[in-house]
Amino acid sequence: MSATVDPITTSVVQHRLTAIVEEMGEAMLRTSYSQILNSSRDFSAAMVDQDCQLVAQAEHIPVHVGAMPWAAMAVRDYFGDDVHEGDLFLVNDPYLGYGSHLPDVTVFAPVFVEGEVAFWTINRAHHSDIGGSTHGAYNPAATEIFHEGLRIPPLRLWDQGKPKLDLLDMLAANVRHPRDFKGDLAAQIGSVKLGERRMKALVEAFGAETVLQACRQILDGAEARTRSEISQWKDGVYKGEAVLDDDGHGRVDITIRATVTVSGSDIEVDLTASDPESTAFVNSSFANMQSACAQSLAYLIDPSIPKNAGAFRALKVVAKKGTIVWANDGKPVTMCTSHCSNEIIEAIIVALSEACPDKAMAGWGRRLRIAIKGEDPRNGKTFIWHLFHARPGAGASPGGDGWHNSGEWHSAGGLKFGSVEVAEARFPLHFRTHEFRPDSGGDGEYRGGAGVNLEMVVETDGDAVANTAGDGLRHGARGILGGSDGAPHDYRQQRVDGTETLLPSKAVGLPVSSGDVFVVSSGGGGGWGNPAKRTDANHASDKRDGFTSN
């Protein structure tokens, strides 16, 4: 057993670890090619130790980071001792490599300390296209994972410092925009290699044993602080539910059921009563389910507690394979990082709102994206654009109103919509409006965050095609502890021939003509607490600022 490292040195090491993963993220942001990464920031950086315990993460996308340790285990277990200085590894497959879904491609760099792998630096990025039978990586028509794109099991991309270019070319040949794919993957590689260099510098500055022991103490400290909080919650068995609108294949009101047991400083989340798996892409993969459960705990504990493996030692997850939260091998799962991960989180927090009402927040708005593929008349090039604008509102909490236009549970504000002007410069689109949606946030002592009203004109050269992928046209964000639900989404397409179509949330191959207008009203966050307790001053400011109409 190593000697204890003093608290000051431990704190310095902890902050250095955080700085390293944050710098990895900045490198990714500044070097990636695709809009989905360098504008919307759909990527995450983290680090695990030799036992694949999460040591540090940057404030990126929570649903990514909670699943990363499982993917690291898959790489470690597959390659065993056959890991060397200069190697890089890649994975995305949810069944062969504990990925979340195929668009999330994850790159790993081993960090050697005194001849052994002591850490892995990791970058996970959502690629704009990953092949499959339709553009943009989301295929509502999929009935098996092979319809969703290129499957990458644990794979060695660099061999002792030498890139395997033939393998890279094979991967790029299976996606629609190979240049962007290669550029984004290069950005990921740069990110993890930067993290590797910074970790080696940290070890050189403090010594291997000091850094390794400090990491053990950081994890133990997070566990102690988390357990201290949980022990103040009311012991008991609590139940919560959340409901998906549909799966796009005829099933409606698919329910996730959580039974949560609080006992002392331990929490058990049992999801076995959730509905059976779907034929469609709303199923969750195993790692994604584990991540959603970890997120629910992270959202309830003190934000100053480091969200590392130690913070989640108090959590046990029980689930049944073949249910919507843990699909059988081969089932489609691409929607899972949004839905049903949001519903898993919501069901757990609804349950725990009885045990810790002063911690629980209301539901965040649901994800509903549009992906458009067409030709840009300004350069003749084919493009794929993903809707990240018109973010839904965040749920209210005991601390106040929900954040406006902030997104969903799974990203908690980590995904950005980027500049409207930059989007117009990069894509043949014109934004007529992008403004807060009145009356969309759920009422309560604290009001849910507002969604957004958006009108966007498509200015392609010739016809284009769109897919929709998401949820929330029927069920809005959950109000909690007496608060009202947020308004659901309303998505429409106004065609140049004068007709208007109410868009479904899960559709593929929708024809789009130049001049068509997408009219989007995104949902608001759920309200928290009894609306009768909202102050007159808050009501007045709601109306003055345009968040309510009366």
Side-chain angles (χ1 to χ4, degrees), residues 46-57 62-77 91 97-100 106 108 120 122 124 286-288 290-291 294 307-310 312:
M47 187 186 312
V48 300
D49 65 14
Q50 62 184 348
D51 296 319
C52 297
Q53 298 183 102
L54 181 64
V55 172
Q57 61 166 303
V63 76
H64 284 172
V65 180
M68 281 184 187
W70 296 95
M73 291 179 207
V75 170
R76 178 200 63 187
D77 294 347
V91 76
Y98 279 140
S100 292
T106 309
F108 305 81
W120 296 84
I122 310 175
R124 173 166 288 183
F286 175 82
N288 181 76
Q290 293 283 349
S291 178
K307 305 308 183 292
N308 56 38
F312 304 121

Side-chain angles (χ1 to χ4, degrees), residues 209-224:
E209 195 49 53
T210 296
V211 172
L212 294 173
Q213 178 59 23
C215 286
R216 288 189 282 267
Q217 291 175 203
I218 290 166
L219 300 188
D220 290 345
E223 178 184 11

